[in-house]
Amino acid sequence: MEDFSNIRSLSPEKVEKCMSSMQTGTQMVKLRGGSKGLVRFFYLDEHKSCIRWRPSRKNEKAKISIDSIREVCEGKQSEIFQRYSDGSFDPNCCFSIYYGEHMESLDLVSGTGEEARTWITGLKYLMAGISDEDSLAKRQRTRDQWLKQTFAEADKNGDGCLSISEVLQLLHKLNVNLPRQKVKQMFKEADTDDNQGTLGFEEFCSFYKMMSTRRDLYLLMLTYSNHKDHLDTDDLKRFLETEQKMTNVSKEHCLEIVAKFEPCPENQTSGVLGIDGFTNYMRSPAGDIFNPEHYEVNQDMTQPLSDYFIASSHNTYLMGDQLMSQSRVDMYAWVLQAGCRCVEVDCWDGQDGEPIVHHGYTLTSKILFKDVIETINKYAFAKNQYPVILSIENHCSVPQQKKMAQYLTEVLGDKLDVSSIPADPSGLLPSPEALKGKILIKGKKLPSNIDENAEEGDVSDEDSADEMEDDCKLLNGDTSMNRKQAENVAKKKLDNLMKESKIRDREDPDSFTITALPPSGKHDKSPLKGKAEDSTDTGDEANIGGNKRLARTFMGSFSKRKKKTSKVKKSSSFEDTDTDQESSSGASKAQAHHSRKKKTMKLSRALSDLVYMKSVGMPDFESQGVTWQVSSMSETKAHQLIQQKPVPFMRFNQRQLSRVYPSPYRVDSSNFNPQPFWNAGCHLVALNYQSEGRVLQLNRAKFYCNGNCGYIQKPGCLCEGSFNPVAEDPLPGRLKKQLILKVISGQQLPKPKDSMLGDRGEIIDPFVEVEIIGLPVDCCKEQTRVVDDNGFNPMWEETLVFTLHMPENALIRFLVWDHDPIGQDFIGQRTIAFNSMIPGYRHVYLEGMEEASIFVHVAVNDITSKARAVSGIKGLFHRNPKQASLDSHAAALLNRKSTFGAHLLRRTASAPTKGQPKVKRGFPEISIDTKDCSSDGASEERESEEGPLVHHNGDTASAKSWGQGTNGQLHPDDRKVQN
């Protein structure tokens, strides 16, 4: 959200002064809601990587990493500051730091305005530096800082070195379970200076390097180097072309890799890549599973808008739930820069004739409509130029509608597109490319038959999008309830919603990606034939039609209270609903109440004339309609259409835009599963961006595949022709894709985020689950076995095989869990669009974590004939029924080359750990008439040892099908960090 243009021009002297002052530290007041402020000492740590404070009951965990800071706001802008009366603090001494996934705020008051300015400037400078880094530099900086912090935290007595006991404690914290004798051996090898018995920082780095040397990567290097302890340029070229599917790899490019990633000067001079250099290369963005070309716009952007999915936000202004949370204009800045291209603006009459934005009939705070439009104007095109749609939910009186029109016109200026849809005979909408830099208004529009001189007119209000149910209103003309009572009702309602409904996201209990389950607690049976019953998104779409019925039970005492006061006259949609604010005149109330009964509303011509996309209700499949209309419907209604009329609904979406928004009963701002609506071709699937969790992870993965520009092309069958998304065989006659994922190993997997014992808890027993999210027929999950007591470098060496009917609309979700006798704990995840994956040996970095990853091999086939069991596949990283593991292959190789390799493999911590066998594991299927070229680099001796290989067809994973460029070559320099 920050604009860093001025910060980047700071003089070195100014920067050094800020950094020095922040590292020295400042005593400031930390404000908290509902209590007095706390005096704490804040300082920037020595690595300039995080803000710390003391004293704190959190001890070492009392910190905020610079990487996690979203925004630094000057003055008294946060909700916490608003709770204090005017004059409590000097605004020049106040600032707020917003950080983390949930935009938490740290609200501080310094002793002087100069101190506040130093912190604001210094933090923005550090944030600007992070935003400018390329992904390789960022990963290296992160790793360096992590090592320094790890060393400092392990140094319990602060003497600048680590004893053997401190190292053993550190290994437990890092999830490493090694025999003490092995640890002592590596400790002794690393302890090379005069101060024997302890490790200084450089020695610790050597120790860590020994401990973290990768067995899997070493064996891969041996395979392609003909058992040498390095890869020369010919070996590297063969590996890149055979396994990584790069084409036309030159010797010069191989030498560039050596120069960039090889740390050993002797190897650099010889132009070869040793194990450390190979590890650096494979851990760099060049070895990431995400296609680097997809960090930029790579799709055709010249087709009609109806051919695209559009990233859309619901209740954009809210920071939390829909009953009591704060409204902030900064949320528009955040979502627009996060790639969202359709934002919602709920407009109501405010004081002094100024329209406001908030969630009506609730206790959510209010912001000025003008401020919202100014923020949108500033940030709409900060990250990309593709058009922004303002979804205006208009509840204002005609005078304030005119004010809205005035602000839209004056503030947005030429960006506001008020042109009519081109009179194209085909009736097609313009393309995202043609609308670059334009802001489009979606809202109510006066009918064409109205008197052209009339300044206002009646329009239907029955199809208002996002209409709030009475059960969800806190304030509805009930003058007997003051604000405090309303707050208590809201808190009880939210508590009941969370406690009674059994709605918890199994991956992240705090994610709010939830929906109500049936009262019995049982899911509806999955419609998927032959698939797991839980193959859909953790119940997100289970019994969605029953949400309304069940949600009424959550309202409990609130609904009963309403019945007792049912004689109280309801407030109008024009009323400012907070009891401590002004209300409209009695006449306007009566008029509005009458209008509500008629389901019509007055619309100003001035506002109507600015509307580009006319908002209408449920789609009419019989009429052709007009392409510039947008049909808005709740998730419940849209789900019914998918179940009852899937093909007509999909055909409707081929010519006209549709918007799906969350049920009004989601008062906690939870999100629904968007995939069924994408499957039906719905364009604007509006989500609560403030509710981080599974659903937003899916949404990010969906839109990252086209430069995160907010527009992605729909698959061809969703743009023309007939297609049934819920059919068992939706695309008869079309070749299916087979995804073969070899899950090899994990790296530095942390303990569960909310572990009760924290770092002192048991070392985790991880396993990997891979989930396919797409058409119902494609949805399924597979998982590896459990590895006991190893979160640092577990080895799975297992192959999972999936069949996809429509891979171009599928998301692949990698999940890491900690197995527990009484359940399982969520460790982390990474979700990626199928089309954004690239083949070969790849690292899957868990989202939001510094070093945690899983190492996989990706291959894709066209399925052209009958399938049979995969038991015949034997390769470098696959456990066959006889459990031929990586070690058996390693032993054969090391018999030929034992000196260097035996020493390395003996001292490394990467030995595979025996784990629990998987339960209920059948053989996956693999096509019979395929040919492998993914392991051509392996020697013939390996084939003779392990039997004939069944191979996959490399042609199906060609450069074109994987979204690579014309020459298919992937350069590590071209990779960019994910936002």
Side-chain angles (χ1 to χ4, degrees):
M1 281 191 289
E2 296 285 356
D3 180 1
F4 296 123
S5 54
N6 294 329
I7 294 295
R8 293 187 177 99
S9 61
L10 284 175
S11 67
E13 295 79 13
K14 176 73 171 176
V15 171
E16 181 57 36
K17 182 179 178 182
C18 286
M19 295 299 111
S20 175
S21 177
M22 291 164 67
Q23 287 183 316
T24 301
T26 308
Q27 189 165 282
M28 292 187 277
V29 177
K30 174 186 174 186
L31 296 185
R32 299 190 303 174
S35 67
K36 295 181 179 180
L38 304 173
V39 178
R40 294 290 182 265
F41 183 76
F42 291 84
Y43 61 99
L44 180 67
D45 76 331
E46 60 177 317
H47 314 302
K48 301 177 185 175
S49 63
C50 58
I51 305 167
R52 294 180 177 273
W53 60 90
R54 60 175 188 260
S56 173
R57 284 178 294 180
K58 296 180 180 178
N59 298 321
E60 288 297 324
K61 292 186 177 180
K63 62 182 181 180
I64 296 172
S65 71
I66 302 298
D67 282 4
S68 71
I69 298 178
R70 297 277 188 85
E71 184 182 10
V72 179
C73 285
E74 305 175 39
K76 300 165 34 173
Q77 296 188 38
S78 76
E79 182 183 26
I80 297 294
F81 275 116
Q82 301 302 324
R83 297 182 185 181
Y84 290 84
S85 60
D86 290 341
S88 298
F89 308 108
D90 180 354
N92 295 321
C93 299
C94 303
F95 64 100
S96 300
I97 300 169
Y98 291 93
Y99 64 96
E101 294 175 344
H102 301 288
M103 289 284 282
E104 298 171 75
S105 69
L106 174 63
D107 303 286
L108 301 173
V109 182
S110 63
T112 67
E114 184 179 357
E115 286 179 345
R117 171 52 48 190
T118 296
W119 276 88
I120 292 166
T121 303
L123 290 174
K124 288 189 175 184
Y125 177 81
L126 292 171
M127 293 165 65
I130 289 170
S131 71
D132 287 342
E133 285 180 332
D134 63 30
S135 53
L136 181 61
K138 183 170 185 176
R139 181 156 292 158
Q140 189 59 51
R141 175 184 58 81
T142 302
R143 185 177 178 80
D144 291 345
Q145 289 178 346
W146 181 83
L147 281 170
K148 290 175 183 175
Q149 289 177 14
T150 300
F151 179 82
E153 290 173 9
D155 182 14
K156 300 297 184 184
N157 60 7
D159 64 355
C161 53
L162 302 184
S163 65
I164 185 67
S165 63
E166 287 174 327
V167 166
L168 289 169
Q169 289 179 47
L170 172 62
L171 294 185
H172 191 277
K173 178 180 177 180
L174 292 178
N175 260 329
V176 182
N177 187 20
L178 287 173
R180 290 179 69 95
Q181 195 57 40
K182 191 168 187 177
V183 175
K184 289 179 179 179
Q185 177 189 338
M186 288 190 290
F187 187 97
K188 189 174 181 179
E189 283 189 54
D191 188 8
T192 57
D193 64 7
D194 295 334
N195 188 14
Q196 290 292 295
T198 60
L199 300 182
F201 178 69
E202 295 302 326
E203 291 175 317
F204 167 71
C205 290
S206 298
F207 171 85
Y208 184 81
K209 186 176 177 181
M210 271 188 265
M211 186 181 67
S212 59
T213 299
R214 295 271 297 279
R215 182 185 208 87
D216 47 6
L217 292 180
Y218 178 65
L219 292 176
L220 189 57
M221 184 189 76
L222 286 183
T223 302
Y224 276 88
S225 69
N226 196 23
H227 319 310
K228 301 189 300 289
D229 61 2
H230 62 259
L231 295 167
D232 60 29
T233 52
D234 290 337
D235 300 331
L236 184 54
K237 172 182 167 69
R238 189 153 46 94
F239 169 73
L240 295 177
E241 290 182 340
T242 303
E243 297 290 359
Q244 308 302 79
K245 303 305 177 191
M246 294 167 63
T247 58
N248 303 321
V249 179
S250 66
K251 182 174 181 178
E252 289 70 26
H253 179 58
C254 293
L255 288 172
E256 288 174 7
I257 291 175
V258 172
K260 188 168 187 177
F261 296 100
E262 177 56 53
C264 175
E266 293 81 2
N267 284 348
Q268 281 210 10
T269 303
S270 303
V272 298
L273 204 60
I275 182 58
D276 292 328
F278 185 54
T279 301
N280 290 340
Y281 174 70
M282 293 301 290
R283 291 283 289 174
S284 79
D288 198 300
I289 194 171
F290 189 83
N291 189 333
E293 294 188 3
H294 289 191
Y295 286 120
E296 305 292 341
V297 174
N298 58 85
Q299 298 179 0
D300 179 7
M301 303 298 284
T302 64
Q303 301 305 307
L305 282 178
S306 53
D307 283 2
Y308 296 85
F309 297 116
I310 305 171
S312 304
S313 167
H314 173 254
N315 286 351
T316 311
Y317 48 89
L318 288 182
M319 291 190 69
D321 66 78
Q322 298 180 46
L323 297 180
M324 299 177 63
S325 70
Q326 185 185 7
S327 304
R328 287 189 63 220
V329 295
D330 295 326
M331 293 301 290
Y332 288 93
W334 173 50
V335 302
L336 288 168
Q337 292 186 99
C340 182
R341 296 286 89 184
C342 179
V343 296
E344 185 177 24
V345 189
D346 283 337
C347 308
W348 300 79
D349 278 7
Q351 293 179 335
D352 304 322
E354 288 293 330
I356 57 173
V357 174
H358 79 125
H359 203 50
Y361 307 109
T362 69
L363 299 177
T364 58
S365 60
K366 302 172 177 64
I367 50 179
L368 290 175
F369 176 81
K370 182 181 180 182
D371 291 345
V372 169
I373 301 306
E374 287 176 343
T375 302
I376 291 171
N377 180 59
K378 182 177 180 181
Y379 291 100
F381 307 112
K383 291 292 181 72
N384 78 78
Q385 289 294 306
Y386 290 103
V388 169
I389 299 169
L390 303 193
S391 181
I392 301 288
E393 301 300 331
N394 176 17
H395 306 275
C396 290
S397 59
V398 169
Q400 296 211 15
Q401 289 179 37
K402 291 180 179 178
K403 206 66 172 291
M404 290 167 57
Q406 176 189 337
Y407 290 141
L408 288 167
T409 305
E410 292 177 354
V411 175
L412 301 180
D414 293 340
K415 295 176 186 174
L416 187 63
D417 194 331
V418 293
S419 62
S420 58
I421 302 295
D424 190 318
S426 65
L428 296 177
L429 285 162
S431 69
E433 188 69 29
L435 292 168
K436 265 187 169 182
K438 293 296 183 182
I439 295 176
L440 316 177
I441 305 296
K442 180 186 83 68
K444 290 295 177 185
K445 200 168 181 69
L446 290 173
S448 56
N449 59 3
I450 195 171
D451 183 354
E452 61 182 18
N453 295 320
E455 291 190 5
E456 60 187 60
D458 288 328
V459 294
S460 170
D461 197 27
E462 293 192 19
D463 51 11
S464 277
D466 212 2
E467 183 60 35
M468 196 173 188
E469 297 286 348
D470 284 347
D471 277 354
C472 302
K473 297 175 182 177
L474 278 180
L475 301 167
N476 200 15
D478 182 3
T479 55
S480 65
M481 183 169 62
N482 62 31
R483 185 180 180 90
K484 188 68 176 177
Q485 290 172 320
E487 284 182 358
N488 290 334
V489 170
K491 287 176 181 176
K492 287 179 182 177
K493 182 182 292 191
L494 286 171
D495 286 345
N496 289 338
L497 181 68
M498 300 304 293
K499 289 176 182 176
E500 296 176 16
S501 64
K502 302 177 184 178
I503 44 179
R504 290 290 187 276
D505 189 313
R506 290 178 301 163
E507 293 169 23
D508 181 358
D510 298 321
S511 70
F512 296 106
T513 59
I514 53 180
T515 189
L517 301 181
S520 65
K522 297 179 181 179
H523 287 269
D524 287 354
K525 291 287 184 183
S526 169
L528 308 186
K529 183 178 179 181
K531 305 285 185 180
E533 286 186 11
D534 64 346
S535 61
T536 49
D537 283 357
T538 54
D540 276 345
E541 67 265 44
N543 198 39
I544 204 164
N547 279 359
K548 188 170 182 177
R549 180 184 67 256
L550 181 60
R552 289 184 187 278
T553 67
F554 301 154
M555 303 310 163
S557 59
F558 180 64
S559 296
K560 293 175 183 176
R561 184 197 60 76
K562 281 187 62 186
K563 289 177 182 177
K564 292 179 182 178
T565 59
S566 59
K567 294 182 180 181
V568 179
K569 185 177 179 181
K570 292 184 179 181
S571 74
S572 76
S573 61
F574 300 153
E575 183 180 358
D576 188 7
T577 52
D578 272 8
T579 54
D580 57 353
Q581 299 289 332
E582 88 295 350
S583 55
S584 305
S585 68
S588 94
K589 282 185 186 180
Q591 179 186 359
H593 185 58
H594 182 64
S595 297
R596 293 298 297 166
K597 290 173 78 174
K598 282 186 170 183
K599 290 292 183 182
T600 61
M601 64 172 290
K602 293 289 184 184
L603 179 64
S604 158
R605 177 176 292 280
L607 185 57
S608 173
D609 288 347
L610 302 182
V611 172
Y612 189 98
M613 298 175 168
K614 182 181 178 181
S615 181
V616 296
M618 291 290 285
D620 182 357
F621 296 151
E622 304 303 322
S623 68
Q624 285 299 309
V626 284
T627 56
W628 59 87
Q629 290 184 346
V630 180
S631 291
S632 293
M633 66 206 87
S634 73
E635 58 178 285
T636 309
K637 292 177 181 177
H639 186 78
Q640 289 170 352
L641 288 178
I642 292 172
Q643 294 300 314
Q644 297 167 10
K645 301 179 179 179
V647 177
F649 190 29
M650 187 278 305
R651 294 293 296 268
F652 173 86
N653 286 327
Q654 290 178 349
R655 65 179 186 271
Q656 186 173 326
L657 298 185
S658 63
R659 176 176 180 264
V660 181
Y661 55 85
S663 162
Y665 286 96
R666 292 183 181 271
V667 294
D668 59 344
S669 291
S670 61
N671 278 315
F672 56 83
N673 173 25
Q675 189 65 44
F677 308 113
W678 287 331
N679 290 340
C682 298
H683 312 81
L684 299 151
V685 181
L687 301 175
N688 291 304
Y689 270 57
Q690 73 272 30
S691 297
E692 180 57 44
R694 173 187 173 88
V695 171
L696 287 192
Q697 291 158 3
L698 302 185
N699 195 60
R700 279 195 293 272
K702 184 79 171 174
F703 286 97
Y704 270 6
C705 70
N706 192 30
N708 198 31
C709 74
Y711 290 83
I712 54 173
Q713 272 189 299
K714 298 198 292 187
C717 58
L718 290 177
C719 297
E720 58 182 4
S722 187
F723 165 71
N724 184 349
V726 296
E728 289 187 10
D729 188 8
L731 296 163
R734 174 176 166 177
L735 287 177
K736 304 174 183 65
K737 292 287 186 185
Q738 186 177 64
L739 172 63
I740 305 172
L741 277 172
K742 298 179 183 178
V743 182
I744 301 166
S745 62
Q747 294 77 44
Q748 300 185 54
L749 304 176
K751 295 178 182 180
K753 189 175 182 180
D754 300 316
S755 172
M756 288 176 58
L757 298 176
D759 295 334
R760 294 173 291 120
E762 292 183 354
I763 293 171
I764 64 172
D765 306 321
F767 68 94
V768 175
E769 180 178 74
V770 179
E771 180 180 7
I772 308 297
I773 301 160
L775 295 183
V777 72
D778 289 340
C779 289
C780 62
K781 298 177 183 178
E782 292 280 350
Q783 60 184 231
T784 68
R785 67 194 178 93
V786 175
V787 170
D788 291 331
D789 283 343
N790 192 346
F792 189 72
N793 45 25
M795 298 289 294
W796 293 287
E797 312 166 46
E798 294 198 41
T799 300
L800 310 178
V801 182
F802 304 92
T803 299
L804 293 94
H805 293 71
M806 188 191 283
E808 60 267 42
N809 207 37
L811 302 174
I812 316 299
R813 187 164 171 82
F814 298 87
L815 300 132
V816 181
W817 300 89
D818 174 22
H819 176 78
D820 189 273
I822 58 172
Q824 56 195 32
D825 291 319
F826 176 64
I827 301 296
Q829 68 82 38
R830 172 82 179 277
T831 308
I832 187 171
F834 176 89
N835 283 347
S836 290
M837 291 196 307
I838 45 179
Y841 288 98
R842 303 289 169 186
H843 283 94
V844 182
Y845 289 93
L846 302 186
E847 189 175 2
M849 298 184 185
E850 293 177 350
E851 292 291 305
S853 63
I854 53 177
F855 187 50
V856 301
H857 182 275
V858 180
V860 172
N861 301 330
D862 282 321
I863 297 182
T864 55
S865 66
K866 294 182 180 179
R868 67 178 175 81
V870 74
S871 56
I873 286 191
K874 300 170 187 176
L876 182 60
F877 297 116
H878 176 66
R879 290 186 179 274
N880 65 20
K882 295 181 181 180
Q883 291 296 303
S885 72
L886 192 61
D887 276 350
S888 65
H889 183 58
L893 292 176
L894 294 173
N895 284 336
R896 302 177 183 82
K897 179 83 174 177
S898 60
T899 52
F900 173 82
H903 176 65
L904 184 149
L905 291 178
R906 189 170 60 249
R907 79 180 186 190
T908 183
S910 301
T913 307
K914 290 182 180 180
Q916 300 178 10
K918 286 191 299 177
V919 182
K920 299 180 181 179
R921 282 283 292 139
F923 289 118
E925 292 184 339
I926 189 165
S927 52
I928 207 170
D929 59 341
T930 54
K931 180 181 178 184
D932 186 283
C933 67
S934 70
S935 300
D936 291 346
S939 65
E940 293 180 7
E941 294 166 284
R942 195 189 88 206
E943 294 196 24
S944 64
E945 290 162 10
E946 298 192 344
L949 294 167
V950 180
H951 299 298
H952 74 267
N953 185 350
D955 294 338
T956 61
S958 65
K960 183 175 180 182
S961 67
W962 284 96
Q964 296 176 358
T966 51
N967 67 359
Q969 186 158 325
L970 304 179
H971 293 279
D973 295 333
D974 295 335
R975 302 214 171 208
K976 297 181 181 177
V977 69
Q978 227 170 311
N979 290 331

